[in-house]
Amino acid sequence: EIITVPDCLKEKFHCDGFIVIPNVLDQETVSALNCELENILRGQYDTGRIPDKAPKIIKGKLKEHGGTIGPLGFSGNFQNVKVLQIINVHKCNSMFREVATNPILGQIVAKLAGWTLEGIRLVQDQIWAKPPGAAPLVFHRDSPYFMFDPPHVVTVWVALDDMDAEVGPLEYVVGSHLWGDGRCGSANQFFQPNQGGKTLLYSAAEREGKQIEDLAIVSMEGLQAGGISIHCGRTWHGSGKNESRSQPRRGLGLHFVPAEVKFTPDACKSSLWRSYVEGFDDASKAPLSEDDFPITWKPLTNEI
């Protein structure tokens, strides 16, 4: 199936650094994914593989199944509530992999990004799940964490809950993908937010000559579960604290690159990529296997 992406969406993506598409997944699919997520958090993997990173295994049943805890293991205690992160859930769960490798989604991203000649590859996914009371996630760019040549990344974010204001929706800084390069911070800073998670953002804005009060920050508030946003890897984004007393805030991030990328020498310095390039004097010679880095869409001959 050949998908046409309207020029207005392409223009908005290149101008703002992100677009929003509501109602991509139906509510039945979203509910099924959230059920699968609860199983994954309890160490149940239907593919026989494990994710690359997962939080401590949750023990106990959900209240709806006769247990005592809520979604994401929330017990009702608001002290030291942690954001839960899973890296590469597509490796351990077939339903999440089906969503992540959907060729229609891949085709849309490729056409937004201009990767229509080579196609598109999934290089990583991430679940970010905030139980009630969980902290903000710092504003950051995705691109600096991906050691590939060419260095282009596009992220699809899938809302797995309705993005009410109180749950801490994803927020984008309009046009920030056009800013220059600069300090991106380390991975542990995702969980040590200051100034509401905006310290790195404000630093980058000042280097760019931007006034903090002039930044246009757009929230995904109002996006219903099953809606998506698609953003350039250079777009600054983050999210606030989950202020709800009872509602979880769950999202799936899918990181895509051009299909023909190669690892850069810096891959050996990153815990995310080191294992894939070990044993290679030249990181660019390390293969990207279909199991770990599936190509999700390639153009047909008559599309080129």
Side-chain angles (χ1 to χ4, degrees):
E1 183 179 358
I2 298 176
I3 303 297
T4 299
V5 177
D7 288 341
C8 61
L9 279 185
K10 294 178 184 178
E11 290 170 8
K12 187 169 182 60
F13 180 76
H14 290 290
C15 179
D16 293 350
F18 68 95
I19 63 167
V20 181
I21 307 176
N23 305 317
V24 172
L25 301 180
D26 59 39
Q27 294 307 301
E28 182 179 355
T29 300
V30 171
S31 295
L33 287 169
N34 282 328
C35 286
E36 292 295 317
L37 177 57
E38 290 298 324
N39 292 334
I40 293 163
L41 290 170
R42 287 163 175 78
Q44 300 169 23
Y45 310 135
D46 70 4
T47 66
R49 301 184 70 193
I50 63 173
D52 289 345
K53 179 181 179 180
K56 183 179 178 181
I57 296 293
I58 292 175
K59 298 180 180 179
K61 293 182 180 180
L62 289 166
K63 291 178 181 177
E64 61 194 67
H65 296 151
T68 59
I69 57 176
L72 308 179
F74 181 62
S75 65
N77 183 352
F78 288 90
Q79 298 299 314
N80 300 315
V81 181
K82 296 184 181 301
V83 178
L84 306 183
Q85 182 191 27
I86 302 173
I87 296 180
N88 285 330
V89 69
H90 80 271
K91 292 183 179 181
C92 72
N93 182 269
S94 55
M95 188 172 186
F96 274 100
R97 186 174 178 92
E98 184 177 351
V99 171
T101 60
N102 182 285
I104 293 178
L105 180 60
Q107 185 178 170
I108 291 171
V109 173
K111 291 183 175 179
L112 281 172
W115 304 337
T116 52
L117 295 180
E118 65 267 57
I120 187 170
R121 186 187 295 272
L122 176 75
V123 288
Q124 190 185 81
D125 68 52
Q126 297 190 61
I127 293 279
W128 290 100
K130 296 180 186 177
L137 291 178
V138 303
F139 275 71
H140 63 283
R141 281 173 160 173
D142 294 337
S143 292
Y145 299 96
F146 291 85
M147 283 62 178
F148 296 97
D149 182 29
H152 307 310
V153 181
V154 171
T155 298
V156 174
W157 182 76
V158 184
L160 297 177
D161 289 293
D162 291 343
M163 289 297 116
D164 299 330
E166 65 179 1
V167 302
L170 185 64
E171 298 177 309
Y172 291 115
V173 183
V174 177
S176 58
H177 62 306
L178 302 175
W179 298 359
D181 295 329
R183 186 167 63 104
C184 64
S186 61
N188 66 350
Q189 286 179 290
F190 282 116
F191 307 103
Q192 298 176 353
N194 298 308
Q195 293 183 297
K198 295 185 174 72
T199 302
L200 294 176
L201 168 64
Y202 291 164
S203 176
E206 290 172 359
R207 284 196 306 274
E208 197 66 19
K210 305 288 186 182
Q211 298 297 314
I212 303 304
E213 59 270 20
D214 293 336
L215 296 180
I217 299 179
V218 174
S219 171
M220 294 299 99
E221 178 185 346
L223 185 66
Q224 293 184 327
I228 71 172
S229 60
I230 304 175
H231 66 262
C232 172
R234 293 176 57 84
T235 301
W236 282 86
H237 59 286
S239 59
K241 179 179 179 179
N242 184 352
E243 302 280 4
S244 171
R245 304 296 292 179
S246 59
Q247 297 301 312
R249 183 276 204 193
R250 295 162 287 198
L252 169 66
L254 307 171
H255 304 296
F256 295 96
V257 298
E260 304 304 323
V261 296
K262 304 292 184 183
F263 283 110
T264 68
D266 285 340
C268 66
K269 304 174 185 177
S270 168
S271 60
L272 293 173
W273 315 114
R274 186 180 303 120
S275 64
Y276 297 105
V277 299
E278 284 179 341
F280 290 88
D281 294 332
D282 182 351
S284 68
K285 303 297 184 184
L288 280 77
S289 74
E290 278 293 308
D291 285 343
D292 293 335
F293 306 103
I295 292 175
T296 66
W297 177 79
K298 273 201 163 186
L300 300 173
T301 303
N302 62 357
E303 291 183 82
I304 298 177

